[in-house]
Amino acid sequence: PPPTQSARYHSGSGKMPGSYKVCVVGGAGGIGQPLSMLMASHPDVAELCVYDLTVSMVPAEGVAADLSHLNTKCKVKGYAFEVADKAVEKAGECLTGCHLVLVPAGMPRKPGMDRKDLLKVNADIAKNIVEACAKYCPDAVVALIVNPVNSVVPAMCELWKKKGLNPKNIVGVTTLDILRANKFVHEITGAPVEEIEIPIIGGHAGSTILPLFSQDKAGATIPAEQIPDLDKRVQDAGTEVVQKKAGKGSATLSMAFAGARLGRAVLAGLSGAEATECAYVESTITDIPYFATKVTFGPEGVQTVHPIGALSAHEQARLDEMMPTLKEEVQAGLDYAASNEFAF
C-alpha cells in the first residue's frame, strides 16, 4: 500500500515540499484569522488547523469553513477548546504531524497591568500550547507571537529543553519590526521596497528593538541626524496603530503578514531551500542567552544564528544601552521556566 501522508512527511530527511501541516493557535483571533488565510493560500501547505477557544469572538470551525472555500489545495479544519482544557490532553489530533505551529495567542496588556502580571498570564497560556507541541509534534517549529516575547520565548525554550527537545525549534517572531523599518526607509529614500532589508537585533519590545539601518544600502543613505527619530518610530510603531484604531484593536493585519513571512521562511528551510529572516532565538552571539539577529532556517528549524555585524556609533551606543533591559526581561523568562514543568 502507498505510505500514509504522515509517514511520507517523516520518511528520512527529505520532507516533501508541498505537503506541510500547519496549525495556527489563536486562529480565530484578530491576528489569527488573516494569518490562517495567508497560510491556507501558501502553495506548500496541504493541511491547516485553526485552533482557538470556545469563547473566541468567531468560532474556530467557522473560520475553518470560510477558509475551506479558498480554491487552494489546503484542507482546513477548526478545533475549539474550553478555557479550562489542557491542550496536552485534548489537542492530539490537531497537533500530531504538524511541521509548523504559529502561536498568535495570549491576552493583550490591560490598563494598570505591569509586565510581570502579563508575563504570568501569557506564559501560562503559551505553556499550555507548547507542552502539547512537545508531546504531539516535537519536531515542529513553534513560532511564538505571545507578549512579552522577550520573556515568553526564553521561558518556553527552557521548558522545551528540560524535555530533552531541540531548542532550535522554538522561535520568537520579530518580523513585524523588520517590515516596518523596511517600509519607513522606502518612504524616506524612495528606494524599491523589495530591495530594502533592515536587520533588527535585540528583542521585540521598546528599546530592545534595534534597527541596523547602516547595514542596508538604502538605510545607510539616511542622514545620521534623522536616525534617532526613525529608530524610535520603529520601536513605537505599534502605538501608532493602536491610537488610529481608537482603542478598538492593535496591529493585527500587519502582524499576520509578518507571521506569514516568517512561516514561509521556516517552510522553505524545512524543504531544503535555506531562508534567512531575523528572529528571537536561543543564541551565543552575546552574553544574553536569547537574542534576535538574522537566522537561517534549514531542514531542522534554526540552522545558523548569524553575528550582529558592523555597527554605526549610534547603533553601538543603543546596543550598550538596551542590553541591561533585555537581560532583565530574559531573566524573567528563565525564572518562570525554573519554577514550572510541562504537564506530562
Side-chain angles (χ1 to χ4, degrees), residues 310-333:
L311 301 180
S312 70
H314 166 80
E315 291 159 0
Q316 185 61 57
R318 275 269 287 112
L319 178 64
D320 296 341
E321 199 180 288
M322 70 83 155
M323 289 292 269
T325 304
L326 182 58
K327 192 169 195 168
E328 201 176 295
E329 291 174 3
V330 169
Q331 190 57 51

Side-chain angles (χ1 to χ4, degrees), residues 7 17 72 81 103 107 154 190 207 246 255 277 310 340:
T72 66
F81 299 97
V103 190
M107 271 178 46
S207 68
M255 185 64 244
E277 289 284 352
N340 285 277

